[in-house]
């Protein structure tokens, strides 16, 4: 262990987090990040390299938000309760005449509200009726309820069912409206969500389901996204063998390259796994140099105080600048962060849980920034602790835990574990319980913070 390197500094969790955050902000400002055009669905999880704008108003027409009758609110306000049903608009249709006073149009959710109408009365507050009128339109006799709700008949059908002898009379479709509506009720005006030409999604937004839907609605069959950052992963350790190899009695399989590759892929990077590096400086240096050809390098192992922990030394020899060489956390205290030239690297402690926790706390935001997206703040929540918990003060702990319970009563419990090497604990957990450095004991029933990966 090189003592000059060690003196760079061990930071508190918050300090270390902010240091990484600060570097992320600088990376985000980079110009000319390479981009590519991909089919919309291939854009899922990727980051927009150019804004998406509205090709027309959203919604493109005044949209009914309920099934019912499009009316003039003023008619109802002035005491009219029986309106003439002059037509029907289904979603995708239009009713092209302006609605006159005393008229209503039957309308379905999602359909265009006709001109002249300014509100929709929900079908639940209406009752369809018919009445016979003479050819001048004077009322003769009101017929009984036609059981109106959801009735698909329309004015035209009824007219065509009439016999020629009754031509001087006709049956008129009416609707009784049982409550008044405010102007604009159950209608989203054209352009209320966005107007044609307006930015729907800015550059730098990650495309998740809602953003994919918006892009689709704006007619984007393909989108311009940033190229995924290449993140090389280099596991170090003489004890390691590749997954497909048979380990000797004192060897272990290289699982960290896989947890890291999975985490990198999850947050939008392109993981590139390098061969295992031995604890020997020459070969290790060679592989680090290879790893530095990418946008970011993740190293696993070799950053503790042991005689064969050579990672920092090798990096220093390659001109690395260190931002911190440890953080007051558990697991993961020996975590290292720096840059060689413009390439950021993290030296993550090799224990399988440490590697995952330190990536979650520090590495994730860097991959996000390199993808061209503002890193998300850590997702945390409060939950009720299920059992008393004792620890030592001095370190911020992120312990594999299980969050259960309903929406209103989230409960959390630390997963029993054999320490930072216990991958099974990590696999059983669905969050990390955060224990602040000034707490020795957390009591059952206390509201505690959890971080969700
Ligand atoms: P180190 O940080 O190099 O001292 O590694 C600590 C411990 O983590 C080692 O003794 C291994 O048991 C374990 N370990 C290190 N690297 C890996 C790896 N790539 N995959 C799985 N376990 C590892
Ligand atoms: Mg090692």
């Amino acid at each position: 262990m090189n003592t000059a390197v060690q003196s760079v500094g061990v930071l508190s969790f918050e300090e270390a987090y902010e240091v990484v955050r600060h570097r992320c902000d600088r990376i985000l400002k980079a110009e000319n990040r390479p981009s590519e055009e991909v089919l919309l669905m291939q854009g899922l999880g990727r980051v927009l390299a150019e804004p998406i704008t509205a090709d027309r108003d959203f919604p493109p027409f005044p949209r009914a938000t309920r099934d019912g009758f499009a009316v003039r609110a003023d008619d109802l306000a002035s005491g009219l309760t029986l309106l003439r049903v002059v037509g029907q608009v289904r979603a995708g249709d239009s009713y092209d005449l302006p609605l006159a006073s005393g008229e209503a149009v039957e309308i379905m959710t999602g359909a265009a509200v006709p001109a002249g109408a300014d509100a929709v009365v929900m079908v639940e507050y209406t009752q369809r009726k018919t009445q016979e009128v003479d050819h001048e339109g004077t009322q003769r006799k009101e017929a009984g309820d036609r059981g109106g709700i959801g009735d698909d008949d329309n004015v035209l059908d009824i007219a065509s069912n009439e016999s020629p002898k009754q031509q001087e009379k006709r049956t008129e479709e009416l609707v009784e409206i049982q409550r008044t509506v405010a102007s604009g009720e159950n209608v989203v005006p054209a352009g209320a969500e966005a107007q044609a030409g307006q930015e729907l999604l800015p550059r730098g937004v990650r495309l998740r389901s809602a953003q994919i839907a918006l892009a689709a609605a704006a007619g984007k069959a393909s989108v311009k996204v940033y190229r995924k950052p290449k993140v090389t992963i280099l596991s170090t350790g003489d004890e390691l063998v590749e997954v497909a190899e048979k380990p000797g009695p004192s060897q272990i399989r290289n699982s960290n390259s896989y947890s890291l590759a999975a985490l990198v892929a999850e947050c939008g990077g392109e993981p590139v796994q390098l061969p295992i590096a031995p604890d020997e400086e020459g070969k290790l240096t060679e592989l680090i140099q290879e790893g530095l050809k990418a946008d970011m390098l993740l190293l696993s192992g070799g950053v503790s105080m042991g005689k064969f922990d050579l990672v920092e030394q090798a990096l220093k020899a390659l001109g690395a600048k260190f931002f911190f060489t440890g953080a007051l956390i558990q697991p993961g205290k020996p975590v290292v962060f720096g840059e060689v030239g413009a390439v950021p690297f993290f030296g993550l402690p090799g224990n399988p849980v440490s590697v995952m926790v330190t990536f979650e706390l520090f590495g994730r935001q860097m991959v996000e920034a390199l993808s061209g997206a503002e890193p998300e703040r850590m997702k945390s929540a409060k939950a009720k602790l299920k059992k008393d918990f004792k620890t030592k003060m001095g370190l911020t702990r992120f312990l594999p835990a299980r969050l259960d319970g309903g929406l209103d009563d989230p409960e959390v419990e630390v997963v029993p574990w054999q320490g930072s090497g216990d991958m099974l604990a990590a696999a059983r957990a669905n969050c990390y319980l955060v224990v602040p450095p000034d707490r020795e004991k957390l009591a059952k029933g206390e509201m505690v913070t959890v971080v969700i990966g």
Side-chain angles (χ1 to χ4, degrees):
M1 181 77 200
N2 183 318
T3 48
V5 167
Q6 197 187 6
S7 69
V8 172
V10 177
L11 305 181
S12 71
F13 164 65
E14 287 81 6
E15 287 165 342
Y17 185 81
E18 288 311 320
V19 163
V20 178
R21 188 84 193 177
H22 181 70
R23 300 310 300 176
C24 289
D25 288 344
R26 293 183 58 142
I27 281 166
L28 266 175
K29 289 198 185 100
E31 304 284 334
N32 304 328
R33 184 170 280 116
S35 61
E36 57 186 334
E37 188 88 13
V38 297
L39 288 174
L40 181 54
M41 270 314 287
Q42 266 144 33
L44 181 62
R46 305 286 296 272
V47 178
L48 273 186
E50 66 183 13
I52 289 181
T53 50
D55 61 328
R56 56 182 189 154
D57 283 353
F58 275 61
F61 45 78
R63 182 176 64 211
T65 61
R66 292 282 190 278
D67 293 326
F69 289 85
V71 298
R72 299 165 70 107
D74 271 356
D75 279 355
L76 309 182
S78 67
L80 262 185
T81 54
L82 211 54
L83 301 176
R84 258 180 349 110
V85 180
V86 294
Q88 185 195 61
V89 255
R90 302 149 63 128
D93 274 353
S94 61
Y95 177 79
D96 295 329
L97 293 174
L99 200 77
S101 179
E103 294 179 343
V105 163
E106 187 178 15
I107 196 161
M108 312 302 153
T109 301
V113 176
D118 63 345
V120 169
V121 182
M122 285 165 69
V123 71
E124 289 85 336
Y125 303 118
T126 66
Q127 191 151 41
R128 297 189 68 137
K129 308 212 158 175
T130 55
Q131 72 178 7
E132 276 185 8
V133 291
D134 62 25
H135 64 285
E136 273 119 25
T138 316
Q139 183 177 333
R140 283 276 188 85
K141 170 175 151 264
E142 193 177 312
D145 174 22
R146 297 185 61 251
I149 295 179
D151 193 334
D152 257 359
D153 287 356
N154 61 31
V155 177
L156 288 177
D157 290 340
I158 290 151
S160 63
N161 282 344
E162 299 206 340
S163 72
K165 275 185 200 146
Q166 292 171 316
Q167 254 168 8
E168 73 277 12
K169 289 184 240 157
R170 85 195 143 75
T171 305
E172 196 174 56
E173 280 281 296
L174 297 173
V175 60
E176 185 188 76
I177 308 283
Q178 295 158 348
R179 46 161 287 184
T180 57
V181 276
S183 175
E185 206 169 314
N186 301 326
V187 180
V188 180
E193 292 155 5
Q195 298 196 337
Q198 197 178 316
E199 185 175 280
L200 297 175
L201 295 170
R203 189 168 66 93
V205 151
R206 197 175 291 281
L207 297 171
R208 305 202 190 277
S209 51
Q211 292 77 18
I212 291 276
L214 203 47
K220 300 289 288 181
S222 65
V223 283
K224 197 169 173 193
V225 292
Y226 290 122
R227 189 175 62 74
K228 288 185 185 187
K230 261 202 180 81
V231 180
T232 37
I233 295 164
L234 178 57
S235 282
T236 73
D238 283 341
E239 74 278 30
L240 302 177
V241 298
E242 294 295 3
V243 175
E245 283 173 52
K246 193 172 162 49
S250 51
Q251 290 180 312
I252 57 167
R253 297 192 180 95
N254 171 19
S255 60
N256 286 352
S257 285
Y258 289 84
S259 57
L260 287 174
L263 286 162
V264 166
E266 264 173 35
C267 57
E270 187 187 319
V272 180
Q273 294 184 32
L274 295 178
I276 293 163
D279 294 320
E280 181 271 306
E281 207 173 336
K283 184 71 189 156
L284 175 64
T285 305
E286 228 174 79
L287 283 163
I288 290 178
Q289 279 175 310
E290 183 64 29
L292 289 169
K293 290 178 187 160
D295 298 300
M296 170 173 165
L297 169 62
L298 287 172
L299 295 123
S300 142
V303 288
S304 304
M305 302 291 282
K307 194 170 167 190
F308 299 104
D309 289 326
L310 306 169
V311 165
E312 284 173 57
Q313 205 166 298
L315 283 162
K316 191 167 196 303
L318 291 169
K321 189 158 124 197
F322 291 88
F323 300 123
F324 57 78
T325 52
L328 296 173
I329 57 172
Q330 195 246 343
K333 188 163 173 256
V335 59
V336 169
F337 172 45
E339 275 175 5
V340 178
V343 182
F345 65 79
F346 287 91
L348 308 176
N351 270 313
V353 183
S354 310
V355 105
M356 288 185 251
V357 169
T358 46
F359 179 86
E360 204 57 66
L361 299 180
F362 305 117
R364 176 182 287 273
Q365 42 178 327
M366 184 57 74
V367 178
E368 287 179 355
L370 288 165
S371 316
E374 173 100 20
E376 289 180 13
R377 294 304 295 196
M378 233 185 288
K379 291 190 199 80
S380 66
K382 288 275 183 196
K384 194 190 268 185
L385 191 64
K386 273 192 193 168
K387 283 187 192 149
D388 283 346
F389 179 79
K390 274 181 99 171
T391 183
K392 288 198 194 101
M393 295 204 283
L395 301 175
T396 307
R397 289 167 210 270
F398 297 88
L399 306 174
R402 254 205 97 76
L403 184 65
D404 293 304
L407 273 183
D408 297 330
D409 57 349
E411 290 185 322
V412 67
E413 178 172 29
V414 174
V415 172
W417 71 329
Q418 306 296 323
S420 324
D422 189 348
M423 265 179 276
L424 274 79
R428 281 194 293 265
N430 59 8
C431 67
Y432 296 110
L433 169 71
V434 185
V435 187
D438 58 349
R439 295 294 302 275
E440 209 165 19
K441 191 179 163 230
L442 299 179
K444 179 183 169 182
E446 190 177 329
M447 293 305 281
V448 292
T449 303
V450 297
V451 166
I452 300 151

